[in-house]
Amino acid sequence: MHEPLVFALPADAGFAGRLAEAAGAELGQLATHEFPDGESSVRLTTDCSSRDVMIVCTLHRPNGLALPLLFLADAVRRAGASRVSLVAPYLAYMRQDAEFHSGEAVTARSFASFLSRTFDWLVTIDPHLHRIRRLSDVYTIPAVALHASSDIGEWIAAHVESPVVIGPDAESAQWARGIATAARAPWLVANKVRRGDASVEVTVPGLEEFRGFTPVLVDDIISTGRTMMAAAAHLSGRHSRQPVCVAVHGIFAYGAYDGLVAAGAARIVTTNTIPHPSNAIDIVPLLGRALRAGSTLVQIPTHSQ
Ligand code: R5P
C-alpha cells in the first residue's frame, strides 16, 4: 500500500513539502496555469489513483483560493484518489457565524457547506469557535480541530520571563486558559467593547496583582490588530513591562503589525499557519503527527474537538 500523497497550490508548496515529510507522505507534483482572462487550470503530474490524498491550503484570503482548490480537489478525485482531505492550517470564514444584521449571509455556514461538498474530511488548527461551538455544527464531513496551545505555551515558557497570560476578550478565554496551562503561568481575561472593525476598547481587571510579571497577550487571530492594540494601550502606563503579543493566526490587515509596535508591543509572535515574518512557532510537527494518525482521526466523531 502506498503512503498518503500531499498536494498543494504553489503558495503552500514549501509548507506542504515539510508537512509531507513530517507526515510520512509523498509530495505530489502539479502544474497550474492562469489564462489571460483570469481563469485558471491545474494539471496533476503525479498519479493518484487509489491514493489517500491530502490537499494543503491555508485559507488566508480565501476568495481567490476557493476555485483553484475546488479544481484541484476535483482533479484528484477524477484521477481516482481513494480519499480527498483538506489540511487547512488556517480555516477562513469562521467569524461571520451569525446574521448580525438583517439579510446578511452567514458565511461560516456557506463556506462550510462548500468545503463539505468538496472534501471527505478536514483538519485545521484552532478554528474560531464561538457561537458555532463545534465544527460539526456546520461541517457535514469529519472535521478535526487541533490546538496550538501546547506549542505556544512552550514558546512562552522558554522565551518570556515571569509571564502572565492575558486574553483580550471573553472569546479568547479558551486560548488563554490552554496556553497558560502549557506555559505554567497565571492568566487573566480582559473586557473588550468593539464598536466597529477598527474601534475597540479593552480593560484588564486584576492586572494590579501581577506587578513584576511580563504581560503576554494571546488570541486566536490578529486581523486588524485593534483588539491587541487596545489591550496593549490599556497596559501602557499601568504596567511596568511592555507586552509580548502572541496569536495562532497572524493576518495583520491594514498595517496591524506596525500598529502593534506603535502601541507598545515588545515582541509579536505567531505560529506559521499563515506565512509572516512574525512566525516563530512551527505547527508542522503538530499537523504531521495528526496526519500520521489520519486513518484513525477520521473515525473520531466531529463533536470531539
Ligand atoms: C474575536 O473574537 C477574535 O478572537 C479576535 O479577538 C479578533 O478577531 C481579532 O480581530 P482584530 O485583530 O481585527 O481586532
Side-chain angles (χ1 to χ4, degrees), residues 144-218:
V144 178
L146 304 174
H147 301 288
S149 314
S150 296
D151 299 276
I152 294 175
E154 282 164 23
W155 184 91
I156 291 170
H159 294 88
V160 182
E161 191 193 333
S162 307
V164 54
V165 171
I166 302 172
D169 57 19
E171 289 159 63
S172 65
Q174 55 185 307
W175 289 283
R177 184 190 312 112
I179 290 168
T181 303
R184 297 173 295 285
W187 62 286
L188 299 169
V189 173
N191 294 324
K192 172 169 97 175
V193 180
R194 177 158 226 148
R195 298 195 175 83
D197 282 352
S199 171
V200 176
E201 199 179 306
V202 170
T203 52
V204 188
L207 182 66
E208 55 289 347
E209 290 173 34
F210 293 94
R211 288 177 213 290
F213 283 70
T214 308
V216 183
L217 295 166
V218 300

Side-chain angles (χ1 to χ4, degrees), residues 15 58-62 89-92 95 125-126 148 152 175 217-226 228 245-258 260 268-281 283:
F15 184 95
T58 200
L59 287 164
H60 174 44
R61 304 211 169 276
Y90 172 64
L91 184 60
R95 288 183 293 166
I125 311 262
D126 286 306
I152 294 175
W175 289 283
L217 295 166
V218 300
D219 210 348
D220 59 333
I221 302 172
I222 298 175
S223 180
T224 65
R226 296 292 170 166
M228 284 266 187
C245 298
V246 185
V248 182
H249 311 293
I251 290 175
F252 297 112
Y254 310 139
Y257 187 90
D258 292 341
L260 267 172
I268 303 161
V269 166
T270 57
T271 78
N272 54 347
T273 60
I274 298 172
H276 187 268
S278 62
N279 293 166
I281 301 166
I283 47 79

Side-chain angles (χ1 to χ4, degrees), residues 10-301:
D12 292 304
F15 184 95
R18 292 182 55 233
L19 182 58
E21 201 175 330
E26 179 189 348
L27 184 63
Q29 303 300 317
L30 56 78
T32 57
H33 180 69
E34 184 162 319
F35 294 100
D37 58 3
E39 294 183 1
S40 62
S41 78
V42 60
R43 185 167 68 89
L44 309 174
T45 51
T46 302
D47 178 16
C48 46
S49 59
S50 305
R51 301 286 294 272
D52 183 5
V53 171
M54 302 163 178
I55 295 178
V56 179
C57 185
T58 200
L59 287 164
H60 174 44
R61 304 211 169 276
N63 293 3
L65 291 169
L67 278 178
L69 192 57
L70 171 68
F71 300 150
L72 175 54
D74 279 355
V76 163
R77 215 178 275 288
R78 284 189 60 237
S82 57
R83 185 171 67 162
V84 188
S85 49
L86 173 65
V87 181
Y90 172 64
L91 184 60
Y93 281 118
M94 288 301 295
R95 288 183 293 166
Q96 178 81 41
D97 54 7
E99 186 179 327
F100 298 112
H101 304 100
S102 160
E104 207 166 52
V106 182
T107 55
R109 290 188 180 278
S110 310
F111 198 62
S113 163
F114 158 63
L115 291 182
S116 296
R117 280 181 272 116
T118 306
F119 294 96
D120 297 321
W121 70 284
L122 81 83
V123 58
T124 187
I125 311 262
D126 286 306
H128 186 82
L129 295 171
H130 178 42
R131 276 163 289 262
I132 294 170
R133 300 195 62 79
R134 303 172 191 85
L135 288 175
S136 58
D137 291 349
V138 287
Y139 281 84
T140 55
I141 52 173
V144 178
L146 304 174
H147 301 288
S149 314
S150 296
D151 299 276
I152 294 175
E154 282 164 23
W155 184 91
I156 291 170
H159 294 88
V160 182
E161 191 193 333
S162 307
V164 54
V165 171
I166 302 172
D169 57 19
E171 289 159 63
S172 65
Q174 55 185 307
W175 289 283
R177 184 190 312 112
I179 290 168
T181 303
R184 297 173 295 285
W187 62 286
L188 299 169
V189 173
N191 294 324
K192 172 169 97 175
V193 180
R194 177 158 226 148
R195 298 195 175 83
D197 282 352
S199 171
V200 176
E201 199 179 306
V202 170
T203 52
V204 188
L207 182 66
E208 55 289 347
E209 290 173 34
F210 293 94
R211 288 177 213 290
F213 283 70
T214 308
V216 183
L217 295 166
V218 300
D219 210 348
D220 59 333
I221 302 172
I222 298 175
S223 180
T224 65
R226 296 292 170 166
T227 300
M228 284 266 187
M229 282 180 222
H234 176 77
L235 294 177
S236 167
R238 288 183 180 81
H239 202 83
S240 56
R241 296 195 189 178
Q242 287 179 285
V244 176
C245 298
V246 185
V248 182
H249 311 293
I251 290 175
F252 297 112
Y254 310 139
Y257 187 90
D258 292 341
L260 267 172
V261 172
R267 185 161 180 195
I268 303 161
V269 166
T270 57
T271 78
N272 54 347
T273 60
I274 298 172
H276 187 268
S278 62
N279 293 166
I281 301 166
D282 185 15
I283 47 79
V284 166
L286 171 70
L287 269 175
R289 285 192 298 276
L291 295 184
R292 277 183 186 272
S295 54
T296 50
L297 267 178
V298 291
Q299 309 298 333
I300 299 173

